[in-house]
Amino acid sequence: MRYVQDIPNPQFKIGLYAWNGKYIVKIEAGPYEQTYKISELDVSSADEVLLLLDEPFLSRVAGRFRDMDLDWQQSADRHGVL
């Protein structure tokens, strides 16, 4: 996987990579990660991928991270760990 660039964001660590004909966007928050793969054929450049990371999209990403954390905590509670 080839590193392309970091994408500045105050809430998340976002990295852009290229691999196997795809752009890969990795978004991290604490122990959680979301990965999105975009075919290089679907966009004209890496800059176009950055346009997809708009406020409505990142707001949904934040909600998904909250859901991931809730799921993890509920599982830990059910099993008495963590």
Side-chain angles (χ1 to χ4, degrees):
M1 186 169 359
R2 180 178 60 87
Y3 166 81
V4 177
Q5 71 182 79
D6 283 327
I7 300 163
N9 184 279
Q11 192 173 9
F12 309 116
K13 179 180 180 202
I14 305 176
L16 180 62
Y17 302 85
W19 182 70
N20 204 22
K22 294 182 179 11
Y23 287 109
I24 299 170
V25 177
K26 288 188 176 191
I27 306 172
E28 299 177 50
Y32 307 112
E33 177 179 286
Q34 294 178 45
T35 303
Y36 297 86
K37 297 177 183 177
I38 303 102
S39 172
E40 290 179 350
L41 300 174
D42 290 340
V43 292
S44 60
S45 67
D47 289 336
E48 199 167 292
V49 174
L50 303 183
L51 292 174
L52 300 173
L53 305 178
D54 61 7
E55 192 282 325
F57 175 77
L58 291 175
S59 178
R60 296 290 306 261
V61 166
R64 209 165 287 114
F65 277 128
R66 285 189 295 275
D67 290 345
M68 291 168 73
D69 186 57
L70 181 61
D71 292 344
W72 186 248
Q73 292 303 319
Q74 288 175 343
S75 182
D77 290 346
R78 281 193 305 275
H79 299 285
V81 295
L82 303 177

